[in-house]
Amino acid sequence: RAGDPSALALAAVCGQLETVSFQCVPRLSDRGFAALWQGCPKLRHVTLKACDVTAHAVEAARNAKLDLVVNALTGPPKSYHGFSGLA
């Protein structure tokens, strides 16, 4: 079962990770997402589709790591402060 446990495990060993995509992972929450962007120094692109990551967590990540691009897709496409698809 993917989600926070997988994200936390990945964050512990992701020194070279630049891009990650979580597709239809409702068990990925703000906690797992934060572990990824905080623990992966080279992470630059994240796609979140049908995850339980809040818009607040995405915005916090983007504000803290200015070179991070996050595409959060949960519903009909929208534009939100440089992100696409936040519902």
Side-chain angles (χ1 to χ4, degrees):
R1 293 183 170 200
D4 284 348
S6 297
L8 293 169
L10 183 60
V13 296
C14 66
Q16 300 300 313
L17 184 68
E18 294 180 12
T19 302
V20 68
S21 178
F22 284 88
Q23 307 265 338
C24 299
V25 186
R27 298 182 121 189
L28 180 68
S29 71
D30 293 354
R31 180 176 173 242
F33 175 62
L36 280 173
W37 71 261
Q38 291 172 354
C40 302
K42 293 189 176 185
L43 189 62
R44 298 295 176 261
H45 301 277
V46 179
T47 299
L48 304 170
K49 181 177 181 184
C51 298
D52 193 29
V53 177
T54 65
H56 176 65
V58 171
E59 186 172 357
R62 179 63 178 100
N63 289 336
K65 193 169 184 170
L66 298 178
D67 57 350
L68 182 64
V69 175
V70 179
N71 291 315
L73 310 167
T74 58
K78 288 195 217 179
S79 176
Y80 177 79
H81 189 58
F83 307 109
S84 63
L86 288 179

